[in-house]
Amino acid sequence: MTLATASASAAPPRPGADARTGSARRRRTGPSGGWREAAAHQLFLVPVAAVFIVLFVIPLGQTFYWSLTDFTGYSDDVTFVGLENYRTILSDASMTAGLSFTLLFAVGTTLLTTVIAIPLAVALNQRLIGRNFARSLFFFPAIPSMAVLGLVWGYILSPLGSGVLNSVLDATLGVGPVPWLSDATLAKLSVVLVGVWGGAGWHAVLYLAYLQTIPAEYYEVATIDGAGARQRFLHITLPLLMPAMVISQFLLMTGGLKVFDLPYTLTNGGPGFATQTITQSIIVSGVGQGRYGVASALAVLFTLAVAALSFSQLLISRRIERRVL
């Protein structure tokens, strides 16, 4: 290759060459080229849209239709009753109790798990002997299903004198049997605390993953500037954990609103209707009592409430995240 050839090949392109090349490419493609490319991209969304319609839109539409009828699930003879099922829900003590406890469980587990999981993640992020074993130990409660945890803790928190916790209290402190699951207030508290115990380790691992992405230089500079451990946590760790908090609290809130297995296996919704959830009310009314119309109305209201709460939570979390970061 001669010097002139090399110079010509290394010379910068003439002004407007890229524009002319792009124009020529667009002319070759034609006006329909962009449309075809966009249509090809949209084709990939067809399977997703089909699954969404079949598994969500159609069942939700059928549920809304049944909520306006006296459908029992056993007979094809269906009568349109309008909003009567919705009036029944508002006057049914078991369903209103289920709504109140569901909200209590969702909010309580979200707040307590967050308060416990963040300091736990910070502690597990330190260089300690047996750190990996400690991480595995705290993550272990998230491995069994909530139904299994409910059965195990039901034996531990049995209100009888033979219950594990009552036996320990009697042997050590001489305290008589405590009605952990037979008193309404204690039963609610027990269900919430067991839910926190089962989820705190999993969410601590989630926060731990985000903690490990924070550059160590931030803490080094803050330490040189004289910032203490509390100031480093409030001004470095906590703001940079906001994306993890958004994800964690969204999962906790939506999971708490849909909870069924833990209260059902731990207390069976009792005593009375103290720990009955909305999901349990839907199943009991629809399947157990043959009131599919009432259960469908409750499912519609519950779906709208979950959607509204989830959207509001995401909106508030995003605003807080933008302000902090």
Side-chain angles (χ1 to χ4, degrees):
M1 179 183 291
T2 64
L3 181 59
T5 305
S7 301
S9 61
R14 295 187 304 276
D18 293 340
R20 288 195 296 271
T21 303
S23 300
R25 187 182 299 112
R26 285 192 296 270
R27 286 195 298 270
R28 289 194 302 268
T29 305
S32 61
W35 179 85
R36 291 177 180 176
E37 184 177 357
H41 293 166
Q42 296 298 325
L43 286 176
F44 288 99
L45 298 178
V46 173
V48 178
V51 172
F52 178 76
I53 292 173
V54 172
L55 298 182
F56 182 78
V57 176
I58 294 177
L60 184 60
Q62 291 177 334
T63 302
F64 178 71
Y65 169 73
W66 286 334
S67 70
L68 303 176
T69 67
D70 62 350
F71 181 52
T72 62
Y74 304 103
S75 175
D76 294 333
D77 187 12
V78 177
T79 304
F80 183 81
V81 296
L83 300 178
E84 185 62 30
N85 292 327
Y86 294 91
R87 299 189 189 97
T88 302
I89 293 173
L90 298 178
S91 60
D92 193 325
S94 64
M95 294 185 181
T96 54
L99 176 61
S100 62
F101 177 71
T102 301
L103 293 176
L104 173 66
F105 181 86
V107 175
T109 52
T110 299
L111 294 178
L112 291 177
T113 301
T114 302
V115 170
I116 295 174
I118 293 179
L120 179 60
V122 173
L124 294 177
N125 196 39
Q126 306 299 318
R127 294 183 178 179
L128 303 173
I129 299 176
R131 180 176 61 177
N132 292 332
F133 174 76
R135 292 175 180 177
S136 303
L137 183 65
F138 282 105
F139 184 75
F140 173 76
I143 298 177
S145 67
M146 282 295 177
V148 174
L149 292 181
L151 293 174
V152 173
W153 278 97
Y155 176 70
I156 296 174
L157 298 175
S158 174
L160 302 176
S162 57
V164 175
L165 185 56
N166 281 336
S167 299
V168 172
L169 292 176
D170 184 34
T172 57
L173 303 177
V175 178
V178 179
W180 299 108
L181 303 180
S182 58
D183 178 76
T185 303
L186 289 177
K188 292 178 181 179
L189 181 62
S190 299
V191 174
V192 171
L193 292 180
V194 172
V196 172
W197 181 85
W202 189 93
H203 288 270
V205 173
L206 175 64
Y207 287 116
L208 180 62
Y210 276 80
L211 281 174
Q212 294 177 346
T213 63
I214 300 177
E217 291 80 4
Y218 291 175
Y219 296 101
E220 294 174 359
V221 172
T223 303
I224 294 174
D225 291 340
R230 179 175 175 272
Q231 292 175 317
R232 292 196 298 268
F233 175 77
L234 293 178
H235 298 287
I236 297 178
T237 304
L238 198 58
L240 293 179
L241 282 181
M242 283 305 300
M245 291 180 64
V246 172
I247 298 174
S248 174
Q249 292 184 1
F250 178 77
L251 294 175
L252 285 168
M253 183 63 72
T254 54
L257 291 173
K258 297 182 296 183
V259 67
F260 167 74
D261 44 5
L262 177 60
Y264 184 77
T265 55
L266 184 57
T267 63
N268 197 22
F273 303 112
T275 59
Q276 182 166 298
T277 62
I278 288 292
T279 308
Q280 184 177 350
S281 298
I282 293 173
I283 295 176
V284 170
S285 298
V287 179
Q289 301 176 0
R291 299 193 300 170
Y292 274 82
V294 176
S296 298
L298 184 59
V300 170
L301 294 178
F302 182 54
T303 301
L304 295 177
V306 171
L309 288 175
S310 301
F311 179 77
S312 301
Q313 183 187 19
L314 283 178
L315 185 62
I316 294 172
S317 299
R318 292 298 183 185
R319 289 184 177 180
I320 295 176
E321 182 180 355
R322 285 196 298 266
R323 291 182 179 179
V324 172
L325 299 179

